[in-house]
Amino acid sequence: MTEPAAAPSSAHDRTVVVAGAGGAAGREVCAALTAAGAYVVAVSSRPDTIEEIAAAETHALDLADADAVAEWAAALRTRRPSIDGLIHLVGGWRAGASDDDWEWLEKRVLSTLRVTSRELRDDLSASSAGRLAIVSSASVAAPRWGMVNYVTLKTAAETWVQALANGWRVKGTPTAAVTFVVESLDGEGVIDALAQSVAALWDLPHEKLNGVVATLGDDAPVE
């Protein structure tokens, strides 16, 4: 007896931009989205990190450069009928409170999110199922001076995402902004849980997702 074919994922043929695709988390998220049938656009500031990645397109781009991102996004719009997702995985870690460390972190943690989400906000709003997601840190809930720059910027990123979520809630668009919180991406099963949760974002209604802050632990995707 022939087994019935599995229903296609709701991510199928969705255009999903993965920013910061070259890291371990980015590569696995790209693989999970591609397996779900999404049209993945992998972006990294370093071209060598996105070689042999599971994506329909790969681009080397400074995501903190508003003009460069605007030019890139305009070209993407000519190739795809809609832009349905932005998964922001650009990160970095430095401890302390120095100005140099702040500048290094701010560009990666916050500026890349601000630039890409402002540029793609209208696209996500216009999508029939726009999704935006970031990864934040459990340290936001228990800040310490030794990581004050990092925690402050992660807190700002979470606030930015909540502002996007509230804007979409007021507009009534089928769009959702989600924050995934992790203790560490190096924890056992955490990257896998993140990848599964991202791929499932289009399987859940936006009313259930928008504004959610979901903690990911070992083998615990968002449901």
Side-chain angles (χ1 to χ4, degrees), residues 4 32 34 56 86 90 93 115 120 128 143 176 196 203 214:
T34 296
L86 170 61
V90 184
W93 160 255
V115 169
L120 299 179
S128 61
Q196 292 179 50
D203 295 331

Side-chain angles (χ1 to χ4, degrees), residues 28-221:
E28 194 158 336
V29 166
C30 286
L33 286 167
T34 296
Y39 185 95
V40 177
V41 182
V43 186
S44 172
S45 62
R46 292 173 48 197
D48 58 300
T49 65
I50 47 177
E51 293 176 355
E52 300 180 3
I53 199 167
E57 299 184 18
T58 60
H59 299 271
L61 181 66
D62 180 357
L63 291 169
D65 184 333
D67 290 338
V69 170
E71 182 178 354
W72 163 82
L76 179 60
R77 293 182 190 109
T78 67
R79 298 191 297 276
R80 298 297 295 168
S82 63
I83 300 175
D84 308 291
L86 170 61
I87 312 303
H88 184 273
L89 302 175
V90 184
W93 160 255
R94 284 191 183 182
S98 75
D99 290 343
D100 287 345
D101 291 336
W102 173 272
E103 291 174 8
W104 187 90
L105 283 166
E106 193 280 332
K107 177 179 179 179
R108 290 160 176 79
V109 173
L110 190 58
S111 283
T112 56
L113 173 63
R114 290 179 63 249
V115 169
T116 54
S117 63
R118 284 190 307 184
E119 179 62 38
L120 299 179
R121 178 171 172 264
D122 288 346
D123 298 280
L124 298 176
S125 298
S127 167
S128 61
R131 300 289 185 267
L132 178 144
I134 69 166
V135 174
S136 191
S137 170
S139 61
V140 167
R144 291 181 289 142
W145 182 251
M147 57 175 70
V148 66
N149 282 339
Y150 177 78
V151 174
T152 298
L153 288 164
K154 281 293 189 182
T155 302
E158 288 194 23
T159 301
W160 186 270
V161 170
Q162 288 303 314
L164 286 166
N166 287 332
W168 283 323
R169 188 175 294 114
V170 169
K171 284 185 174 183
T173 60
T175 322
V178 177
T179 299
F180 293 115
V181 176
V182 302
E183 188 74 35
S184 170
L185 284 171
D186 295 330
E188 183 179 353
V190 174
I191 288 179
D192 182 60
L194 173 64
Q196 292 179 50
S197 296
V198 168
L201 289 175
W202 288 265
D203 295 331
L204 299 171
H206 71 277
E207 299 95 339
K208 184 176 180 179
L209 288 171
N210 194 31
V212 162
V213 179
T215 300
L216 297 181
D218 292 356
D219 302 316

